[in-house]
Structure formats: C-alpha cells, structure tokens
Amino acid sequence: MFRGCGDGAPERQDGRLPHGTPREGGKRATERATERATEGVVGPPRTCLGGMGRTSVRHLLALSGLAIAFQAAPAHADAGPGPNRHGPSAAVARPSQAPERGPERGPETSARPLLLVAQAAKAVPPGTDLTPITVDAADGAVLTLGPGDYPGQIVVKDKALTVMGDPGGTTVLAEPEAQAPVFVGPGGWLVLENVTFKTRSEDGLAVYVQGGHASLSDCRARATMQPAFYVDGGSLEVVRCRIEETRDVGILGVKSSLSVRESAFSGLSRTGVAVVDGGTAEISDSRFENIEAEAVLAGGKSTVIVRNSTFSEIRTAGVVVQEGSVGEITASRFEGIGQAGVLALER
C-alpha cells in the first residue's frame, strides 16, 4: 500500500458510491492517506523512507510506570539566541505541558449526545439488506440485528442511528459490493455494537467515516486490505474492539479525532493507530502486539496521548511522533520492541 511518499495532503476521492461510499476510486485515496501517515518513519518495508542518515532520531524508552511528555520540535534555520537554539539537525524531545485535547466529536455533530434512543428498537432479521433499512431510518432510530450475515451497507448521514448486534458476537456485516460495510457521512452519528466485519478481499475496509461521528463497541475487524477504520475529517470512538491481521493501518485518522479504549491490535502489517494532518488520538488501556511497523504514529502536527497500554513484539517502535507533532505517554509497558519504545523524529 505504501508506494511513495508524496508531499501533498491526502486526496479525497472524486467518485462516490451511492450514499457517498468510495468504490474503486477510494482505494487510491486511502493509499495516499497511509503514505502521508508513514512518511519519514524509519523501518522496512517502506523503501521510500530512506535511511537513518536523513533522519535525526532521539530515543526515549518508556518503561512501565514512567510518564513521558514530549514534543518533536521543528528544525530552525538559524541558531541565534532564544529558546530554540537547536540547529537544523537536532531532534528535540523536551518535557512539556500536556497538550490540549481535541474535540471528541466532529464539528458537524458536536451538538448530539453519544446515544439517542428516541424510538422503540426495530428487530431486523438476518439476510436483510441494510442499505434501504438504514437510509430510510428516522433520526434517532434503533435497529437490533440477530445472529447471522447481513448484506448491504449501513449508511448514516444527517441523522443519528443506533445499530446493535447479537451480544454473542455472531452478527456479521458482509457487503461484497461496497468497499466498506459502514459509511458515516457529514452530520451522521452512528452507535454500533457487537458486530464482525466481513470485507471485500481485494480492497476492503470495515468503517469509513467522512465528516461524521461513529462510536464502535465490541466490534471485530480482520484481514482488511485497507485501513480497518478510516476517518476523514470526523471523529471515531472505539471501545473493546479487536483489529487483527490487517494488511494496512488498523485505524487511520486524517484531520480527525480518535478515542481508543480497551481495544486490541494484533498481527498487523502496518501501523496500529495513525493520526495525521492536525488530528488527535487518545489511547488508553489497549494492547498492541506483533505489528510489523510502529504501533502508534502522530504526524503532520497531530497529537497522540497514550495511557496504561501495552506494546509487545513491535518491529520498529511503540510510538512514533513526527516533527511538529506532540505525544504524551503515561504508565505504559514496552517489550520486544525493535528500535525503541518511543521515537521522536525530525528530518
């Protein structure tokens, strides 16, 4: 998926599926976003990243119970007087105040509460196409899904919707035609519980949020070819979810707000959680293991906060903070890390 390191902002796809979800045109858009997310990170298999000679790195090993707050500061052309006399090649990792947290909701959905239950729940039997059901659902509707497979796509725009799967974890969202089984557009507010995502084999992702908000709990995504959860200009809350064996980033936020709690990431070929272009990510009580790249990445003047989380068998680094971004890591454990628990990068 990482074919180059462009300098431009991530593309927004030109074409959309019905109801706004990307098909073939969306594949390149997510690739460009993941390229942007990983630009400058050292470590295979990203051939476009170059070597350590072009990247000045300061290693901060975060031990269990040790709180570290730092900011990867930009290089300065001059070395004149003042607090920024670091020179053009010194990576700076300095104590700082805890960064301000970003909004937990997207700008278009901030007035909505987390859960709206304005109507009696409607039971939807397995095998029902979810596209017309969710498109036609009233604002505040609640849908309950039973054990079994559900074709179609959950589509939420300009309204709130709650979809609850079987507590036993046997509800499967399987939509072979759309690139993502779930799409949340501008003004949309989705609460989704207890589902497993079955995605398209060649280019599928599980959840696509564009300008809306989604709250996922007790959900599972496995073996997606694109980011499992992709958020573009919106917000996403993830609680007690599992993302396993993806071939791309687990969760990618572009100009977005991410909240991840009590969740597990394992067997990923790329980054676990990445936030870029001025986004924020708060991660707590979560586990990252057997990841081929860094577990958490903050890039493009973004902020990442990690608390009470465990990182093990990570090929490059537990947390990577690129130049201009801010990271705060508290009471987290790093074991079996390839390079370092925390890396602050500067070009």
Side-chain angles (χ1 to χ4, degrees):
M1 298 303 171
F2 300 90
R3 298 176 180 172
C5 290
D7 294 327
E11 290 181 349
R12 188 181 297 250
Q13 63 283 352
D14 295 327
R16 294 180 173 180
L17 280 179
H19 316 302
T21 306
R23 282 191 189 268
E24 302 304 326
K27 180 177 179 181
R28 182 54 184 158
T30 53
E31 288 178 0
R32 287 289 301 274
T34 50
E35 290 167 6
R36 178 80 167 149
T38 55
E39 184 179 0
V41 178
V42 179
R46 302 166 194 167
T47 57
C48 66
L49 302 175
M52 294 289 289
R54 291 192 293 110
T55 305
S56 178
V57 180
R58 177 161 178 163
H59 298 255
L60 299 177
L61 181 59
L63 302 178
S64 177
L66 177 63
I68 300 177
F70 61 92
Q71 178 174 359
H76 297 274
D78 64 313
N84 295 321
R85 293 185 304 234
H86 305 301
S89 62
V92 178
R94 62 175 180 269
S96 65
Q97 297 294 325
E100 294 183 3
R101 299 182 184 180
E104 295 184 357
R105 299 175 174 85
E108 298 186 42
T109 60
S110 59
R112 293 190 183 275
L114 180 61
L115 180 63
L116 291 178
V117 184
Q119 303 177 21
K122 176 181 179 180
V124 181
T128 303
D129 187 339
L130 292 178
T131 303
I133 294 289
T134 55
V135 169
D136 295 338
D139 186 16
V142 180
L143 307 178
T144 60
L145 311 181
D149 289 7
Y150 285 82
Q153 182 183 52
I154 293 177
V155 179
V156 185
K157 296 170 65 177
D158 297 317
K159 65 184 177 185
L161 179 67
T162 298
V163 180
M164 298 182 292
D166 177 62
T170 56
T171 300
V172 179
L173 302 184
E175 173 46 53
E177 296 300 324
Q179 189 175 2
V182 175
F183 173 70
V184 183
W189 189 282
L190 172 67
V191 175
L192 181 63
E193 302 177 0
N194 295 308
V195 301
T196 296
F197 303 98
K198 184 178 180 181
T199 60
R200 227 161 55 175
S201 59
E202 67 273 19
D203 62 351
L205 50 94
V207 176
Y208 178 43
V209 179
Q210 186 183 60
H213 170 85
S215 177
L216 313 179
S217 60
D218 301 292
C219 296
R220 182 187 181 193
R222 183 178 182 274
T224 62
M225 299 304 292
Q226 297 288 329
F229 304 153
Y230 176 37
V231 189
D232 181 5
S235 60
L236 174 68
E237 179 183 35
V238 176
V239 182
R240 296 184 305 277
C241 292
R242 289 182 294 165
I243 298 179
E244 303 167 331
E245 300 178 11
T246 67
R247 296 296 174 262
D248 212 305
V249 178
I251 303 176
L252 173 61
V254 180
K255 299 179 181 178
S256 301
S257 175
L258 309 178
S259 173
V260 180
R261 305 196 307 274
E262 303 175 49
S263 295
F265 302 76
S266 63
L268 276 62
S269 297
R270 303 299 187 199
T271 306
V273 177
V275 59
V276 298
D277 288 354
T280 62
E282 296 190 37
I283 303 166
S284 63
D285 304 295
S286 294
R287 185 176 74 253
F288 299 81
E289 58 185 1
N290 296 319
I291 295 178
E292 290 298 314
E294 62 284 334
V296 176
L297 170 70
K301 298 181 180 180
S302 297
T303 297
V304 63
I305 299 171
V306 180
R307 301 187 182 93
N308 302 314
S309 295
T310 301
F311 302 79
S312 61
E313 303 304 321
I314 311 298
R315 186 170 183 180
T316 57
V319 180
V320 172
V321 179
Q322 293 184 345
E323 178 181 324
S325 295
V326 177
E328 177 187 314
I329 297 88
T330 305
S332 294
R333 181 181 295 275
F334 298 82
E335 299 175 342
I337 309 299
Q339 293 186 11
V342 179
L343 295 179
L345 300 185
E346 179 193 59
R347 295 185 188 181

